[in-house]
Amino acid sequence: MAIPVRRHRGGGLQERPVWAPTPVNPLVEFDELLNQMSGLLESTVGAAPAVAWTPLADVSESEDAFHIEIELPGVKSKDIDVEANGPELVVTGEIKERERKGVLRRSTRRVGAFEYRLRLPGELDTHKIKAEMQDGVLSITVPKADVAKPRHVEITETSENAESSG
């Protein structure tokens, strides 16, 4: 059986099996591992986690702002606190466990305190931060300060005749 190969831009061949995983950020893998271990412990022992957990989030950047979307299904906006302190954004809150009737056989949903911390690069306009909750997703827009926004500089042309006659 032949091993699949990939061609590089330089024309050379590189042997790499098709099943080989693509490189992933090790910190993301570590966070996922901690979440899985915590979930396993919770489902086995049935105890709530002792520390705050981190919800899933996407962070994107446009020319004039940073956009953060945090998944918080079932959480009301009154149970969430968003704070900006310089370049750091902190979102905290709590998902309260519902009272249930009968015997709970399995639970994989997270409950308890959560905390999401993010340090954003550059200068930010923290007075204009907007946050809104819709369909279980908290959307936060953090505008960049005018100093941090890119500015287009016009180039003027001077004629040589004007310089030599002066």
Side-chain angles (χ1 to χ4, degrees):
M1 179 170 145
I3 297 176
V5 294
R6 290 176 94 179
R7 294 197 182 274
H8 280 286
R9 292 183 184 159
L13 296 177
Q14 175 191 13
E15 290 187 24
R16 181 172 183 231
V18 174
W19 52 264
T22 54
V24 178
N25 182 350
L27 295 177
V28 171
E29 287 180 339
F30 185 69
D31 191 41
E32 289 175 4
L33 179 62
L34 284 175
N35 286 338
Q36 289 174 359
M37 288 173 32
S38 175
L40 179 63
L41 182 63
E42 287 174 38
S43 66
T44 306
V45 179
V51 294
W53 55 275
T54 304
L56 300 175
D58 289 334
V59 180
S60 60
E61 179 181 6
S62 63
E63 284 186 27
D64 57 346
F66 290 95
H67 307 280
I68 300 101
E69 291 181 341
I70 304 173
E71 290 184 11
L72 296 168
V75 180
K76 296 181 177 127
S77 58
K78 66 178 182 168
D79 295 331
I80 303 171
D81 186 39
V82 179
E83 290 184 12
N85 186 9
E88 188 173 44
L89 182 73
V90 181
V91 179
T92 55
E94 183 176 1
I95 297 179
K96 296 178 176 79
E97 190 166 2
R98 297 186 323 185
E99 225 177 278
R100 300 176 194 271
K101 294 181 180 177
V103 177
L104 181 63
R105 296 291 181 185
R106 183 171 187 196
S107 177
T108 57
R109 297 172 69 188
R110 293 218 177 240
V111 292
F114 63 85
E115 178 180 76
Y116 182 80
R117 289 183 173 271
L118 177 66
R119 184 172 288 273
L120 296 168
E123 297 291 324
L124 306 171
D125 192 352
T126 56
H127 297 291
K128 294 183 182 175
I129 293 177
K130 292 181 184 174
E132 69 176 34
M133 188 76 160
Q134 181 179 2
D135 297 330
V137 177
L138 176 64
S139 299
I140 304 170
T141 302
V142 183
K144 295 179 183 177
D146 289 332
V147 176
K149 292 180 186 173
R151 190 174 75 93
H152 181 74
V153 177
E154 285 292 322
I155 302 173
T156 58
E157 225 175 277
T158 58
S159 64
E160 292 181 22
N161 295 339
E163 290 177 7
S164 62
S165 62

